[in-house]
């Protein structure tokens, strides 16, 4: 609910802002995001993940990490502030100086809410996160859209993103009843860092690789093309991350709590892969099939160049959840050393593919990104063959039903384009036929995951009815 509500509002805001603003505006924001994302990872230094993974944490751990995160954020903001003119000169975009300096303020906010988020994840108390993030996205969305209508251009996006972080941090600060104590332990930090630094290095490598694509586009092409590229990536990313982030947020602490039971971990990883694939594969195949009319409806004709990017990234993000499940298992088992080696290997392969594909143009480069994702899925599954006895071939076998059903559904959906109807009517019919055909085929062939989801849904509804009946009974007794 937290991710769905958050992404739903963000999607509406994105549609409105995209219609009002230019590709160049989003290209500039994508460039700035590269430096802020890397700085944010350095500021956290993997300590938050280490706090969640550690079995017994106390106030010394939490307070020590809080003060260190805050100190590193101050240092990194100073570096970004001073280097902003050099970065702007490199990309030949003067406006980048002010945008980078303002958006980098989010580093301080991340330091303030990092411990609250770790506590929520560790206790799996996601209701508090739901209230904070939904309020922040809703209020900041209104502010951003209002500024865009008023003609503030790129500053509408900047204000919307900064306001969202401020509101989220403020609400979370008062919702989670934790405050830093005046205690600090180098020894505790060293213990957490021994686990966390490998994850930070791994994430930095991954972030560097994913963002170096934007750096190449911003330098060798132009901000407008980068705007199309980032927009084409964002729509499938938003849809998949709604499911993927939900699984990831719950899965890591759940796996960490079972790290001594390898059989249980395998079952949890398998359930995550099978369930997410059953939902995400048809979603991405369907989106790729309706991309052109959908883009014209949502973003207007000026954004039609994002269609090829969107279709390629639909295939890219369809595989994302499989990666996530495998990597969460490796992290939960405390094997951050393996995690780091995997990221180094994938980054080297990705950079090699990037270098040889860039001379052939932006679309070949984007296809190279997809090829690297396929290779990454195989690489990330390899260690779990030995860690939890659940390797790539078994995982692939588990996802085959979802893949085949999705492809059949995609052909059915695409064939609707042969009927000459308006774009809106075509998209509505395609979506309806896609949902009916996919669910119908899953029910007809008695796909295991479909049965599991229906059974789980019925149990959830029954449990809710029983709780309501019990509460009503208690009220009558009172």
């Amino acid at each position: 609910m937290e991710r769905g509500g958050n992404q739903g509002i963000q999607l509406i805001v994105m549609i409105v802002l995209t219609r009002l603003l230019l590709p160049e505006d989003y290209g500039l924001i994508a460039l700035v995001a590269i430096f802020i994302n890397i700085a944010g990872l350095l500021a956290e230094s993997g300590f938050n993940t280490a706090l969640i993974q550690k079995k017994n944490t106390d106030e010394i751990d939490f307070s020590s990490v809080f003060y260190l995160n805050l100190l590193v954020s101050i240092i990194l903001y100073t570096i970004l502030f001073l280097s902003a003119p050099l970065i702007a000169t490199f990309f030949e975009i003067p406006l980048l100086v002010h945008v980078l300096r303002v958006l980098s303020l989010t580093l301080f906010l991340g330091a303030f809410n990092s411990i609250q988020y770790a506590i929520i994840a560790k206790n799996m108390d996601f209701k508090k996160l739901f209230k904070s993030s939904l309020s922040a996205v809703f209020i900041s969305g209104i502010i951003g859209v209002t500024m865009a209508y008023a003609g503030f251009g790129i500053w509408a996006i900047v204000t919307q993103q900064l306001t969202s972080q401020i509101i989220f941090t403020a609400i979370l600060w008062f919702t989670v009843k934790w405050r830093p104590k005046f205690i600090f332990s180098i020894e505790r930090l060293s213990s957490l860092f021994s686990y966390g630094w490998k994850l930070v290095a791994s994430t930095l490598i991954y972030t560097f690789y994913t963002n170096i694509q934007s750096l190449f586009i911003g330098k060798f092409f132009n901000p407008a093309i980068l705007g199309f590229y980032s927009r084409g990536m964002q729509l499938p990313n938003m849809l998949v991350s709604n499911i993927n982030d939900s699984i990831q947020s719950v899965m890591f602490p759940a796996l960490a709590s079972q790290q001594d039971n390898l059989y249980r971990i395998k079952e949890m990883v398998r359930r995550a892969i099978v369930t997410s694939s059953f939902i995400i594969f048809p979603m991405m195949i369907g989106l790729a099939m309706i991309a052109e009319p959908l883009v014209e409806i949502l973003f207007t004709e000026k954004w039609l160049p994002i269609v090829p990017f969107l279709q390629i990234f639909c295939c890219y993000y369809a595989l994302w959840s499989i990666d996530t499940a495998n990597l969460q298992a490796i992290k939960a088992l405390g094997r951050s050393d393996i995690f780091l080696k995997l990221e180094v290997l994938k980054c080297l392969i990705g950079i090699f593919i990037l270098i040889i594909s860039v001379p052939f143009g932006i679309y070949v480069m984007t296809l190279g990104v997809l090829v690297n994702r396929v290779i990454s899925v195989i690489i990330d599954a390899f260690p779990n063959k030995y860690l939890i006895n659940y390797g790539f071939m078994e995982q692939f076998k588990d996802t085959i039903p979802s893949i085949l059903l999705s492809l059949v559904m995609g052909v059915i959906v695409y064939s609707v384009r042969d009927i000459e109807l308006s774009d809106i009517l075509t998209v509505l019919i395609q979506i309806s036929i896609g949902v009916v055909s996919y669910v119908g085929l899953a029910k007809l062939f008695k796909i295991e995951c479909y049965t599991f989801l229906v059974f789980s849904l019925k149990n959830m509804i029954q449990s809710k009815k029983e709780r309501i009946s019990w509460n009503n009974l208690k009220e009558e007794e009172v």
Side-chain angles (χ1 to χ4, degrees):
M1 287 175 63
E2 184 268 324
R3 294 304 307 172
N6 191 320
Q7 297 286 15
I9 296 173
Q10 279 192 356
L11 180 60
I12 295 171
V13 173
M14 184 191 80
I15 292 170
V16 177
L17 290 179
T18 302
R19 294 174 71 94
L20 294 172
L21 302 176
L22 300 173
E24 290 84 349
D25 296 328
Y26 282 100
L28 178 54
I29 291 295
L31 282 176
V32 171
I34 296 170
F35 301 97
I36 295 177
N37 289 340
I38 293 175
L41 288 171
L42 288 172
E44 188 216 334
S45 302
F47 287 110
N48 286 23
T49 307
L51 286 174
I52 298 171
Q53 197 271 344
K54 186 178 179 181
K55 289 184 177 180
N56 300 309
T57 51
D58 55 25
E59 285 296 333
I60 300 177
D61 294 311
F62 288 127
S63 296
S64 299
V65 171
F66 174 81
Y67 290 121
L68 181 65
N69 284 355
L70 189 59
L71 175 62
V72 176
S73 296
I74 294 172
I75 295 171
L76 291 171
Y77 178 78
T78 303
I79 293 172
L80 287 177
F81 187 92
L82 296 176
S83 61
L86 296 175
I87 297 172
T89 302
F90 177 78
F91 289 104
E92 300 177 356
I93 307 175
L95 183 59
L96 191 147
V97 175
H98 305 296
V99 175
L100 180 57
R101 285 175 171 175
V102 173
L103 275 181
S104 295
L105 292 170
T106 55
L107 293 174
F108 298 110
L109 302 171
F112 270 92
N113 64 44
S114 60
I115 304 302
Q116 277 83 357
Y117 183 83
I119 292 172
I120 285 175
K122 196 171 184 68
N123 297 325
M124 302 184 79
D125 188 12
F126 294 102
K127 185 182 291 185
K128 293 177 180 177
L129 191 65
F130 167 71
K131 295 176 181 177
S132 304
S133 62
L134 205 63
S135 302
V137 172
F138 181 74
I139 297 171
S140 64
I142 293 175
I143 294 172
V145 170
T146 302
M147 290 185 65
Y149 269 111
F152 282 90
I154 192 172
W155 291 106
I157 309 175
V158 173
T159 306
Q160 183 254 332
Q161 292 187 7
L162 185 59
T163 305
S164 177
Q165 284 295 312
I166 292 172
I167 297 171
F168 175 75
T169 301
I171 296 176
L172 207 61
W173 184 259
F174 292 104
T175 303
V176 181
K177 304 302 180 182
W178 177 87
R179 298 294 180 269
K181 302 291 191 301
F182 290 103
I183 47 180
F184 188 84
S185 171
I186 295 293
E187 183 180 350
R188 294 293 184 90
L189 289 175
S190 299
S191 174
L192 292 168
F193 189 70
S194 65
Y195 170 81
W197 79 266
K198 296 165 190 169
L199 296 181
V200 173
S202 304
T203 310
L204 276 173
I205 291 169
Y206 173 77
T207 304
F208 171 76
Y209 166 68
T210 55
N211 286 285
I212 199 175
Q213 302 152 16
S214 298
L215 286 173
F216 269 69
I217 297 170
K219 183 62 180 175
F220 297 111
F221 297 96
N222 59 63
I225 292 179
L226 180 56
F228 291 131
Y229 179 89
S230 64
R231 290 290 89 178
M233 179 195 299
Q234 188 173 17
L235 187 56
N237 176 281
M238 289 181 69
L239 293 175
V240 173
S241 63
N242 177 31
I243 300 168
N244 192 62
D245 290 357
S246 301
I247 293 173
Q248 184 172 335
S249 299
V250 178
M251 191 176 184
F252 178 59
L255 289 173
S257 68
Q258 300 287 330
Q259 56 189 279
D260 297 324
N261 187 347
L262 297 182
Y263 177 79
R264 178 61 179 154
I265 287 181
K266 176 183 177 179
E267 290 300 306
M268 294 169 74
V269 171
R270 180 184 178 276
R271 176 53 58 198
I273 289 176
V274 173
T275 304
S276 59
S277 298
F278 182 79
I279 299 171
I280 291 174
F281 282 155
M283 186 186 298
M284 290 296 98
I285 295 296
L287 180 59
M289 295 299 100
I290 67 172
E292 187 172 339
L294 184 66
V295 167
E296 192 165 358
I297 293 169
L298 296 181
F299 306 132
T300 71
E301 289 185 6
K302 69 179 180 181
W303 286 94
L304 281 176
I306 76 171
V307 170
F309 298 118
L310 192 153
Q311 292 171 328
I312 293 171
F313 279 112
C314 280
C315 300
Y316 177 94
Y317 285 110
L319 303 171
W320 199 17
S321 60
I322 301 175
D323 260 350
T324 297
N326 279 302
L327 294 176
Q328 293 302 311
I330 294 170
K331 286 200 299 183
L333 290 170
R335 297 305 305 269
S336 54
D337 56 327
I338 295 178
F339 197 103
L340 176 57
K341 292 174 183 177
L342 294 177
E343 293 304 322
V344 170
L345 176 60
K346 290 185 295 184
C347 182
L348 292 174
I349 295 173
I351 291 175
F352 173 74
I353 294 174
L354 183 65
I355 291 173
I356 63 174
S357 62
V358 165
F360 296 96
I362 186 67
Y363 296 117
V364 175
M365 192 201 88
T366 310
L367 285 171
V369 174
L370 174 59
V371 170
N372 188 49
R373 167 56 62 190
V374 175
I375 296 172
S376 297
V377 170
I378 299 172
I379 292 174
D380 288 336
F382 180 76
N384 283 328
K385 171 66 176 177
Y386 304 97
L387 293 175
I388 59 174
N389 193 31
Y390 190 44
F392 172 74
M393 292 307 299
E394 190 175 354
Q395 293 176 20
F396 179 67
K397 181 180 178 181
D398 285 337
T399 58
I400 283 179
S402 298
I403 295 172
L404 294 178
L405 288 186
S406 299
L407 291 174
V408 172
M409 181 272 296
V411 173
I412 296 172
V413 168
Y414 189 80
S415 64
V416 176
R417 295 184 58 180
D418 296 334
I419 306 173
E420 295 183 1
L421 300 171
S422 65
D423 286 341
I424 295 178
L425 192 58
T426 299
V427 169
L428 290 175
I429 293 175
Q430 285 179 313
I431 293 174
S432 302
I433 290 178
V435 172
V436 171
S437 61
Y438 187 76
V439 174
L441 289 170
K443 185 176 181 179
L444 176 65
F445 290 102
K446 298 179 181 179
I447 302 300
E448 183 270 339
C449 191
Y450 170 79
T451 306
F452 168 80
L453 288 173
V454 171
F455 178 77
S456 300
L457 184 61
K458 287 180 179 178
N459 278 349
M460 185 176 67
I461 294 173
Q462 182 63 32
S463 298
K464 187 174 181 63
K465 288 180 179 178
E466 290 175 357
R467 285 197 300 270
I468 293 172
S469 299
W470 174 255
N471 290 335
N472 291 338
L473 179 62
K474 297 298 290 184
E475 288 175 3
E476 290 176 5
E477 290 178 355
V478 172

